[in-house]
Amino acid sequence: MGHTDDLRSLAEICTEHVNIPDHWGCCGFAGDKGLNYPELNKSATNYISNELKDIKYGFSTSRTCEIGMMTNSKIDYKSIAYLVRDFLYQPVK
């Protein structure tokens, strides 16, 4: 949708390291189609094992994409809103 730079900037404010894989793109979940055709998602996310092997958390703007990304990785994906919330409400040291 053309908002990658905006989302990257937002994430960079909220965390020390932002990693957007070279081969990122659609997770292939296609709304709810990934529930019935898991091979779409598996094929679209085949880059995960190499490019994101040391990543523990991922953030997205779509719950179905988060489900699709978690299905074929060991990465815990959730809404970028949680990253912003956690940044804004961290305890003052």
Side-chain angles (χ1 to χ4, degrees):
M1 292 179 15
H3 297 289
T4 304
D5 291 337
D6 296 334
L7 290 171
R8 176 193 285 270
S9 296
L10 179 61
E12 287 172 341
I13 291 169
C14 298
T15 190
E16 294 177 15
H17 181 72
V18 175
N19 181 334
I20 298 178
D22 292 334
H23 298 96
W24 76 277
C26 178
C27 71
F29 211 74
D32 64 353
K33 291 210 180 355
L35 297 170
N36 296 316
Y37 302 100
E39 61 273 11
L40 293 172
N41 177 244
K42 186 173 183 177
S43 176
T45 57
N46 64 4
Y47 66 88
I48 288 176
S49 60
N50 294 326
E51 291 190 43
L52 301 177
K53 63 183 175 182
D54 297 323
I55 303 297
K56 294 180 183 175
Y57 305 102
F59 296 93
S60 174
T61 59
S62 166
R63 186 62 187 146
T64 55
C65 288
E66 294 156 21
I67 293 167
M69 293 300 289
M70 286 189 292
T71 299
N72 293 299
S73 74
K74 295 180 180 172
I75 301 169
D76 181 18
Y77 276 84
K78 53 186 152 183
S79 172
I80 195 165
Y82 289 103
L83 181 65
V84 174
R85 179 203 64 190
D86 293 347
F87 173 76
L88 292 174
Y89 295 103
Q90 53 186 312
V92 177
K93 295 180 183 180

